[in-house]
Amino acid sequence: RHTVSYQGSQMMQLILLRHGQTPGNLARRYIGRTDEALSEAGLAQARELSCPDTPLLVFSSPLKRAVQTAGAIWPQARIRLVPDLRELDFGDFEGLSADEMADNPAYRQWVEGNCQGPCPGGEDPVFFRQRVLQAFAGLVEEAIRLELDRLAVVAHGGSIMTIMAEHARPGRSYF
């Protein structure tokens, strides 16, 4: 949780949460565009998370795992789906684990390039970064316009790392 101030406005609490565990996470698979539901353990994780004050509005990626997490944590809140908060599309790597691709030259090249290039058949990381940051800026502006004292976002690891790499102080790298 981080508290931010935006151009002299009053303080707003910012809550960035990654969705709970999915079967793909447990198997260490790349699941970006895959609309996978939470595992039983992931649903339990979300239900056990203690957030004492329910925000009026929670912004969520539209993928099931994020929506389920938001609903389990804040069952009384209104959830607004934000398509551009979804995870990176891993293209040809989608649904596979690193072990399964150990002999795949395209995967090895991508990893050796620090995962900075596009996945074959997938999304360019530069475009991913732009869409996530643009969506987040819109959420901040809307939260200010609505005079919310808390901005709650439920998304994915890549989306949250992108937001933190851009806005966290002190600065942080993506990884």
Side-chain angles (χ1 to χ4, degrees):
R1 297 181 187 196
H2 296 273
T3 303
V4 297
S5 178
Y6 188 81
Q7 296 183 353
S9 65
Q10 78 178 57
M11 297 301 271
M12 178 188 319
Q13 183 183 34
L14 171 60
I15 303 169
L16 297 173
L17 290 175
R18 181 182 180 268
H19 61 79
Q21 182 187 73
T22 69
N25 297 145
L26 189 59
R28 302 183 57 79
R29 299 186 180 286
Y30 288 93
I31 54 164
R33 70 175 180 263
T34 302
D35 199 10
E36 189 171 59
L38 294 176
S39 64
E40 287 301 317
L43 196 52
Q45 289 169 340
R47 287 183 179 140
E48 291 171 7
L49 188 60
S50 176
C51 291
D53 298 320
T54 298
L56 296 174
L57 179 61
V58 176
F59 296 97
S60 175
S61 158
L63 297 180
K64 287 177 195 169
R65 56 196 184 262
V67 175
Q68 286 179 303
T69 299
I73 295 170
W74 296 293
Q76 305 304 318
R78 193 176 77 169
I79 298 172
R80 167 110 34 95
L81 304 182
V82 183
D84 285 340
L85 288 176
R86 69 192 182 286
E87 182 62 276
L88 177 74
D89 179 346
F90 292 104
D92 295 349
F93 306 150
E94 189 77 21
L96 300 172
S97 71
D99 290 340
E100 292 170 324
M101 295 185 286
D103 295 326
N104 179 326
Y107 177 71
R108 286 196 323 266
Q109 181 180 6
W110 182 65
V111 170
E112 288 166 7
N114 202 26
C115 309
Q116 296 299 308
C119 301
E123 187 172 17
D124 187 307
V126 172
F127 177 77
F128 170 72
R129 181 179 182 278
Q130 290 171 343
R131 80 165 158 82
V132 168
L133 293 177
Q134 190 170 36
F136 181 71
L139 302 182
V140 170
E141 290 172 8
E142 184 169 356
I144 291 168
R145 183 180 57 76
L146 295 172
E147 298 181 359
L148 299 178
D149 61 352
R150 186 174 301 110
L151 173 56
V153 177
V154 181
H156 309 275
S159 305
I160 292 171
M161 290 188 306
T162 296
I163 293 165
M164 295 298 290
E166 180 72 16
H167 295 291
R169 298 297 176 260
R172 297 176 183 215
S173 75
Y174 176 84
F175 293 106

